[in-house]
């Protein structure tokens, strides 16, 4: 309780600061009890940093709204939309008449109105043309058609399966080779001296720069793509495993030895559990790098996959299909990262607890 002169005014000021402001988006920041809480947070509080789901949803809504507004056609007379429906009704199933064709006819009518008798003067406003950025509706239609009919002789699920199988093979061998080498480098100065020059010389080379060379060595089949992903992942896993071993607190190792543990027991019960967080972090990074590398590899030497879909659609200027494949790549990448975070939380509950 605040006492003394002006105590009531100070108390009212504190209550006013703690009172929830009547803002339109208060629902985004309410706690589980429905009340807004004020909390002093130390910089870097992991609990506060991880609670960003509401902000993520808000950000996505803003991005979608801006995308919709910037690509929407404004001010086009309704008679032209009716004309578009009539044209569509007279086309066969394998023919199409979309927004791009309608706006092209509208521009032609401005120069030659006699070619479109019975229609009013055509004018419209569009901030971003579909030749630059397709609208959300066009991208959704392209995605739905991709899911139903596939593209270039493969269904959507076949494209996804082929891309994921390549990723899994390359990542598996990258982990299987990289983690043991990294552990050996962290445990032994001899192995560190042997492998360190190789790692430091090859690690800076971008995998994309080696695509032409891998095509020459292994051809355009699956072997070349898997080996390229192996090259992209192995150095990341070596560095992660080595850093995990070097980060182990030596007092834990000495304590284990003082209790009579053997080297194998120290490795299994002390070093590996403490190195696993770094290894999982390296695995998350490797998945992202391999996913981007795979898409780029499919751009140049493949007949299937999401990267190949983008390359093939580019030849026919199908921007909506290209953007659909890009969004699928992004969503799948985020999904894999979230899955790795969940697995890390379940499998390594001791992370960050000393």
């Amino acid at each position: 309780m605040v006492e003394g002169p002006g105590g009531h005014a100070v108390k009212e000021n504190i209550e006013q600061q703690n009172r929830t402001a009547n803002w339109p988006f208060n629902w985004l920041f309410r706690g589980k009890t429905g009340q807004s809480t004020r909390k002093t947070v130390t910089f870097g509080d992991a609990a506060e940093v991880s609670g960003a789901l509401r902000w993520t949803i808000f950000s996505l809504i803003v991005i979608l709204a801006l995308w919709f507004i910037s690509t929407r056609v404004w001010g086009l007379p309704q008679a032209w939309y009716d004309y578009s429906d009539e044209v569509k009704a007279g086309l066969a199933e394998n023919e199409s008449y979309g927004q791009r064709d309608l706006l092209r006819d509208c521009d032609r009518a401005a120069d030659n109105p006699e070619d479109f008798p019975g229609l009013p003067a055509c004018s419209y406003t569009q901030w971003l043309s579909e030749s630059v950025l397709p609208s959300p509706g066009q991208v959704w239609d392209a995605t739905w058609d991709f899911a139903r009919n596939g593209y270039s002789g493969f269904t959507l699920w076949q494209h996804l399966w082929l891309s994921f199988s390549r990723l899994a093979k390359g990542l598996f061998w990258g982990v299987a080779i990289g983690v043991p080498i990294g552990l050996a480098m962290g445990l032994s100065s001899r192995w560190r001296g042997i492998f360190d020059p190789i790692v430091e010389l090859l690690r800076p080379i971008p995998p994309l720069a080696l695509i032409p060379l891998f095509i020459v060595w292994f051809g355009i089949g699956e072997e070349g793509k898997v080996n390229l992903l192996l090259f992209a992942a192995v150095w990341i896993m070596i560095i992660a495993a080595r850093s995990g071993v070097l980060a182990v607190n030596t007092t834990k190792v000495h304590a284990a030895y003082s209790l009579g543990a053997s080297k194998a027991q120290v490795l299994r019960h002390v070093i590996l559990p403490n190195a696993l967080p770094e290894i999982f972090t390296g695995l998350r990074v490797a998945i992202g790098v391999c996913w981007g590398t795979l898409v780029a590899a499919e751009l140049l030497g493949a007949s299937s996959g999401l990267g190949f879909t983008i390359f093939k659609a580019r030849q026919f200027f199908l921007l909506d299909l290209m953007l659909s494949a890009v969004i699928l790549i992004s969503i799948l990448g985020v999904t894999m990262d979230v899955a790795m975070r969940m697995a890390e939380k379940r499998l390594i509950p001791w992370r960050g607890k000393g």
Side-chain angles (χ1 to χ4, degrees), residues 331-345:
I331 292 174
L332 292 172
V334 172
T335 302
M336 287 187 289
D337 187 71
V338 171
M340 285 300 303
R341 293 185 190 183
M342 295 174 63
E344 182 180 12
K345 186 177 296 185

Side-chain angles (χ1 to χ4, degrees), residues 225-260:
K225 300 176 186 61
V226 172
N227 286 326
L228 183 66
L229 297 180
L230 164 62
F231 182 87
V234 67
W235 315 117
I236 298 174
M237 298 312 303
I238 289 175
I239 297 297
R242 183 183 67 180
S243 299
V245 173
L246 295 178
V248 176
N249 194 336
T250 55
T251 57
K252 297 180 180 180
V253 178
H254 294 317
Y257 278 127
S258 65
L259 294 174

Side-chain angles (χ1 to χ4, degrees), residues 71-77 80-81 99-100 102-108 110 121-130:
T71 56
R72 181 175 173 81
V73 177
W74 305 90
L76 186 67
W80 279 90
Y81 286 111
Q99 176 178 293
R100 184 184 304 174
L102 175 61
L103 298 183
R104 187 183 299 116
D105 286 345
C106 178
D107 295 334
R108 286 176 52 199
C122 187
S123 63
Y124 64 92
T125 301
Q126 187 182 33
W127 294 342
L128 289 177
S129 170
E130 63 276 1

Side-chain angles (χ1 to χ4, degrees), residues 204-217:
I205 301 176
L208 300 183
L210 297 177
I211 291 178
L213 194 59
F214 273 63
I215 291 176
V216 173
W217 287 345

Side-chain angles (χ1 to χ4, degrees), residues 178-179 181-187 192 235-250 252-253 266-267 270-283 348 350-351:
V179 171
I181 293 177
L183 293 176
M185 292 177 67
L187 293 170
R192 192 181 313 160
W235 315 117
I236 298 174
M237 298 312 303
I238 289 175
I239 297 297
R242 183 183 67 180
S243 299
V245 173
L246 295 178
V248 176
N249 194 336
T250 55
K252 297 180 180 180
V253 178
V266 170
L267 177 64
V270 179
I271 295 177
L272 283 180
N274 283 272
L276 275 178
E278 291 287 344
I279 294 175
F280 258 80
T281 300
L283 184 59
I348 315 177
W350 60 86
R351 182 187 180 106

Side-chain angles (χ1 to χ4, degrees), residues 28-297:
L28 283 172
F29 315 106
R30 290 175 186 161
K32 294 182 180 180
T33 60
Q35 300 294 327
S36 176
T37 57
R38 297 175 62 88
K39 178 181 177 183
T40 302
V41 181
T42 305
F43 181 77
D45 189 345
E48 293 298 318
V49 173
S50 62
L53 178 61
R54 295 169 182 171
W55 284 109
T56 301
I57 296 174
F58 178 75
S59 176
L60 290 175
I61 292 174
V62 171
I63 292 173
L64 288 174
L66 291 175
W67 184 13
F68 174 79
I69 293 172
S70 61
T71 56
R72 181 175 173 81
V73 177
W74 305 90
L76 186 67
Q78 182 60 40
W80 279 90
Y81 286 111
D82 297 337
Y83 164 78
S84 175
D85 293 336
E86 293 176 2
V87 173
K88 292 178 182 177
L91 294 176
E93 293 184 358
N94 59 347
E95 296 178 307
S96 63
Y97 186 87
Q99 176 178 293
R100 184 184 304 174
D101 301 303
L102 175 61
L103 298 183
R104 187 183 299 116
D105 286 345
C106 178
D107 295 334
R108 286 176 52 199
D111 299 328
N112 302 298
E114 63 277 2
D115 293 341
F116 301 89
L119 291 174
C122 187
S123 63
Y124 64 92
T125 301
Q126 187 182 33
W127 294 342
L128 289 177
S129 170
E130 63 276 1
S131 61
V132 176
L133 180 66
S135 66
Q138 291 173 304
V139 174
W140 171 256
D141 292 339
T143 305
W144 180 249
D145 183 70
F146 190 18
R148 290 181 58 191
N149 305 318
Y151 186 69
S152 189
F154 293 91
T155 65
L156 170 61
W157 315 114
Q158 288 174 327
H159 283 293
L160 292 177
W161 169 251
L162 290 168
S163 292
F164 269 115
S165 62
R166 294 161 185 159
L167 175 69
K169 292 175 185 176
L171 197 62
F172 171 79
W173 288 112
V175 173
I177 297 174
V179 171
I181 293 177
L183 293 176
M185 292 177 67
L187 293 170
S188 169
S189 59
R190 177 184 303 172
W191 289 110
R192 192 181 313 160
I194 293 174
F195 285 108
D196 198 57
I198 301 173
V199 173
E200 296 304 325
L201 284 173
L202 297 180
R203 182 174 61 89
I205 301 176
L208 300 183
L210 297 177
I211 291 178
L213 194 59
F214 273 63
I215 291 176
V216 173
W217 287 345
F218 306 105
I220 62 174
E222 297 299 308
E223 186 180 359
K225 300 176 186 61
V226 172
N227 286 326
L228 183 66
L229 297 180
L230 164 62
F231 182 87
V234 67
W235 315 117
I236 298 174
M237 298 312 303
I238 289 175
I239 297 297
R242 183 183 67 180
S243 299
V245 173
L246 295 178
V248 176
N249 194 336
T250 55
T251 57
K252 297 180 180 180
V253 178
H254 294 317
Y257 278 127
S258 65
L259 294 174
S262 63
K263 288 186 177 181
Q265 290 174 325
V266 170
L267 177 64
R268 179 182 175 184
H269 298 287
V270 179
I271 295 177
L272 283 180
N274 283 272
L276 275 178
E278 291 287 344
I279 294 175
F280 258 80
T281 300
L283 184 59
R284 286 176 54 193
V285 175
I287 288 175
V289 172
C290 288
W291 187 236
T293 303
L294 171 65
V295 172

